[in-house]
Amino acid sequence: MVRVALVLAAGEGTRMKSDIPKVLHRVCGRPMLSWVVDALEGLREAGYIDRILVVTGKGADEVEREVCDQATCVVQEERKGTGHAVMTAAPHVDADELLVITADSPLVTSETLRGLCELHRSSRAAATVLSTELDDPTGYGRILRDEGGAVTGIVEETEAGPREKAIREVNTSTYVFGWQTLKKILPELGTANAKGEYYLTDAVALLARAGEGVSAYITPDASEALGVNSREQLAEAEALMRRRINRRWMAEGVTMEDPSTTYIGGEVSIGRDTVLRPLVMLEGSTVVGEGCVLGPNTRVVDCRLGNGVTVEQATLRECELEDGASVGPYASLRPGSVLRAGSKAGTFVETKKTVVGKGSKVPHLSYMGDAEIGDGVNVGAGSITCNYDGVHKHRTVIEDEAFIGSDTMFIAPVRIGKGAVTGAGSAISKDVPPGALGVERGKQRNILEYKRKAKQEEEEGPS
Ligand code: UD1
Ligand code: CA
């Protein structure tokens, strides 16, 4: 028995009013299509399907790039409806069983799809529809049943009369079909409807009328049915997905002081006993260790954080923070920043392509770019690497145990030797040997009784 999953992802997404293909709009940082393909991947791993086909149309190349590792794509040049999308894919479907799903339903889960497949097999139906009951079914196709409860068809919102509109059981647009049976009736689909399109939903009535068994699997979690057609529904999907992700991490032992303002991307991972304070956003491939305290007001993108890391009011991108490192408040750590164990990038500190060694501290008002800071270094307030000469970037090396006076300018390339000291306010352009003091500063002059003399001059007027 060969089972194929077909993802419909070609639509125009007119209601999104967007230049981006609808199925690539993101929910919790990932394209809707990827969430659907991932749920199918779960089915494939569990042995319920053998391969995944995706029907692409608008932005076909872009869409294909997104899923080419997991699926084969078929282009639907002209978009003439969900039924037409299946007709287009038909020559590429070599299967006994076909699962059809739309790419605009990012909340559907592997578990629910498994339930659908199980029911399809046990009921020996020719088609099984995934349905759910909504308090407000507006916009969805309604499931029609006869007095005995058997599914007889699906009517679209645009074609529904008042009695049909009152039906709360809706079509989620996910189905399992016996492929040979479906293939036979596909040519019977017509376009005599409000949109003038080939509706896949009409296949259900055609099958029922032909005496083929049609069943429906009603998922109790109505949120899984959400089909995203508009920006408003996209925001709804985002909120539902966010809640789902947050619940999962709380179950894994992560504390969230305010889950309603905690944003965790679909690919992020977090260790137990980590505390997320309000307004934390963890994005991309970020990995957070155990026992960290992040936030409030912190954004972390594509970073690796060890255990016991603290970050407050900061933005971190493509950084690595080892165990016990601390950041902020008010810090910006840019790509290539590495904070070794127990080190610190404190208040109003910016770093870029910089390694801060074990236990080293950059506590206040500093910019460290293209720098290598050894272990046990203290960088005084207001110190800055002058790493860019307008053409090239140059490196600053500060060796272990150096002590950097406040307001030191490192005119790179420059090296501060092990245990060396720089005088506060120095613009250091030459290497400082190990153990030496590097100071570059004009001699201080005090003009005595300055204030009194100035007043006297004022009283006497210009001479
Ligand atoms: C569809 C169903 C409706 C169901 C709802 C659930 C039909 C006729 N209606 O309506 O019963 O309640 O989904 O969300 O099927 N697509 C293509 N090629 C096309 C047209 C669409 O690939 O030519 C894809 C779209 O990219 C989209 C999916 O099919 O991912 C569904 O199309 P859409 O226009 O969103 O259908 P709905 O009006 O939401
Ligand atoms: Ca839809």
Side-chain angles (χ1 to χ4, degrees), residues 15 22 102 104-105 140 173 226-229 233:
R15 290 161 279 185
K22 175 171 85 172
T102 58
D104 63 356
S105 50
Y140 290 90
S173 236
L226 181 67
V228 175
N229 296 327
Q233 285 167 327

Side-chain angles (χ1 to χ4, degrees), residues 166-203:
I167 298 170
R168 291 175 42 235
E169 187 186 358
V170 303
N171 170 29
T172 66
S173 236
T174 300
Y175 327 75
V176 181
F177 293 101
W179 174 237
Q180 296 309 322
T181 322
L182 176 65
K183 200 162 71 173
K184 256 181 268 159
I185 60 109
L186 277 180
E188 292 176 40
L189 293 181
T191 56
N193 52 50
K195 285 190 178 169
E197 290 184 347
Y198 296 96
Y199 290 171
L200 180 60
T201 45
D202 290 344

Side-chain angles (χ1 to χ4, degrees), residues 3 5 52 116 118 124 143 182 236 282 292 294-295 322 373 387 411 414 447 450 453:
R3 292 130 174 177
I52 305 169
L116 173 73
E118 292 286 356
R124 300 177 176 278
I143 305 289
L182 176 65
E236 225 175 291
L282 306 179
C292 297
L294 308 184
E322 292 183 357
I373 301 172
N387 59 325
I411 302 172
V414 72
I447 299 164
Y450 173 76
K453 285 182 191 158

